[in-house]
Amino acid sequence: MFDGLREKLRSVQEAFGASMRAASAPPAEGGRANGAKAPGLGERVKILVTEGELVLSARQIEAPLQELEMVLLENDVALPVTDEILRVVKEDLAGKRRGIGEAPERVVLAALRDAIVRVLGEGFDLPGYIRGRGKPVKILFTGVNGTGKTTTVAKVGGYLKKLGFSVVIASGDTYRAGALEQIGIHAERLGIKVIQHKAGGDPSAVLFDAVEYAAAHKLDVVLADSAGRFHNRVNLMNQLEKMKRVMQPDLVVYVDEAVAGNDAVVRAAEFEKLVGTDAVILTKADMDMRGGAAISIAHTVGKPIMFLGTGQGYDDLMPFSPGAVVEELLGGA
């Protein structure tokens, strides 16, 4: 995941490191010769050397910060998130005294790690949440069609079943015949009970029946699919509001695809505003070379990421770990 962004962030780190090493070295005799090549990014970042220490000023790191800004924006990191990352990196580096012997790469790496971890948030421990709640725990999944929402409902069901939770799925996307068939096939393969009504029926009635079934059979979790025809926004949101009133979900989980970049961030913010969101799942993270949505969405929407979808299989669902994402982006160097 995130191969493109990882390579560009490594380039930024190297530029910072080269400039810091150059600053701690003795000055060359006679300065730069006439006709010599103009200094690159790393050489342009001048660092004060004071009594055996390196001190970066805000003005002196302006150029590499601008390069970092361009790298983030080009890789679909939302502008407010980019601004926050730049703010934290600048705060960590500017005006701080560091020993000349301190490895420049590690200084920059620590600043980038700190900034990215802050915007990623803490993730969401779904099994821990379920264990701490009364049963059944009711989870409503929202999101636009075509992002893998229905498959994600099945994946979460399989994940919870493997952990020992009893699950029922409510097929709440009643206006799309393909969704009814799809969730039925998934549920059969996973050995999970699914509650369905005929195509075109009231989705709120499906959710009501699923909750009643779970209560009667003392099941742990109800996972409810929903419609996602975003082009008909008013009707969709009215429908979701009714589903929420009837089901009274403990969690509303928004699902979108990581490869959508800023579009996913914008849609997530709109769903949060109109129907509410408690957590986010991003699908197709294995196909996302940029990583902008994964970095941006939690900070922008103010809600944690629960899972990343990493493939087509039922087991291709990774609990979101900010530390793992930072390792993926920056490595352990």
Side-chain angles (χ1 to χ4, degrees):
M1 293 184 289
F2 317 145
D3 290 347
L5 179 56
R6 180 171 57 247
E7 289 303 314
K8 290 183 179 181
L9 286 176
R10 185 173 293 129
S11 175
V12 171
Q13 293 175 56
E14 291 172 353
F16 271 108
S19 66
M20 294 177 74
R21 285 191 299 273
S24 62
E29 289 291 334
R32 183 160 51 93
N34 290 335
K37 184 179 178 181
L41 169 67
E43 295 169 341
R44 292 200 306 271
V45 184
K46 299 190 181 299
I47 303 174
L48 302 175
V49 181
T50 307
E51 297 180 354
E53 295 178 320
L54 302 179
V55 183
L56 286 157
S57 72
R59 182 181 61 82
Q60 291 161 335
I61 61 172
E62 183 177 350
L65 284 176
Q66 288 176 350
E67 179 167 326
L68 176 59
E69 179 180 26
M70 291 304 301
V71 165
L72 294 172
L73 293 175
E74 287 170 358
N75 284 272
D76 289 337
V77 177
L79 181 58
V81 180
T82 295
D83 289 342
E84 176 65 9
I85 290 174
L86 294 174
R87 185 192 68 78
V88 174
V89 170
K90 182 176 179 180
E91 180 181 274
D92 281 357
L93 293 180
K96 303 292 177 66
R97 292 178 178 271
R98 304 183 187 278
I100 288 179
E102 192 171 356
E105 291 83 357
R106 293 195 179 277
V107 172
V108 177
L109 186 64
L112 286 171
R113 282 181 185 277
D114 184 30
I116 295 173
V117 165
R118 288 201 201 184
V119 299
L120 285 176
E122 297 182 354
F124 191 101
D125 178 12
L126 181 58
Y129 179 88
I130 293 171
R131 293 187 185 103
R133 305 282 296 191
K135 306 302 185 292
V137 173
K138 298 161 289 185
I139 305 174
L140 175 63
F141 292 80
T142 67
V144 300
N145 285 343
T147 59
K149 174 169 52 63
T150 298
T151 301
T152 296
V153 173
K155 285 184 177 183
V156 173
Y159 170 82
L160 293 175
K161 184 181 177 184
K162 282 190 173 183
L163 293 177
F165 295 105
S166 51
V167 180
V168 63
I169 292 175
S171 185
D173 190 357
T174 60
Y175 297 110
R176 187 167 63 95
L180 297 174
E181 181 181 3
Q182 182 184 12
I183 200 67
I185 292 171
H186 288 320
E188 183 179 1
R189 289 173 177 171
L190 292 165
I192 295 174
K193 174 69 176 179
V194 61
I195 303 298
Q196 291 182 314
H197 288 188
K198 65 180 180 180
D202 183 359
S204 297
V206 179
L207 272 58
F208 179 85
D209 287 351
V211 172
E212 290 291 299
Y213 180 91
H217 292 80
K218 301 186 186 311
L219 302 185
D220 296 318
V221 187
V222 180
L223 304 177
D225 195 9
S226 65
R229 296 174 303 281
F230 199 64
H231 63 275
N232 193 4
R233 189 180 70 180
V234 175
N235 288 344
L236 171 60
M237 296 306 172
N238 288 340
Q239 183 185 98
L240 288 174
E241 283 290 353
K242 182 180 178 182
M243 294 170 77
K244 284 183 64 178
R245 289 196 306 271
V246 171
M247 185 186 190
Q248 297 185 357
D250 299 288
L251 292 173
V252 178
V253 178
Y254 176 76
V255 181
D256 211 320
E257 51 189 12
V259 292
N262 266 316
D263 287 344
V265 177
V266 171
R267 290 193 296 248
E270 187 148 9
F271 267 81
E272 155 62 11
K273 177 181 177 182
L274 295 174
V275 299
T277 298
D278 297 300
V280 175
I281 296 176
L282 289 175
T283 65
K284 304 179 185 178
D286 55 311
M287 300 169 59
D288 185 14
M289 300 291 289
R290 296 183 174 185
I295 293 174
S296 303
I297 205 161
H299 182 79
T300 302
V301 182
K303 305 297 178 181
I305 299 176
M306 182 182 287
F307 293 106
L308 295 177
T310 57
Q312 297 298 314
Y314 293 124
D315 292 333
D316 295 328
L317 189 71
M318 183 176 73
F320 181 77
S321 166
V325 172
V326 170
E327 282 300 307
E328 181 75 19
L329 285 169
L330 301 177

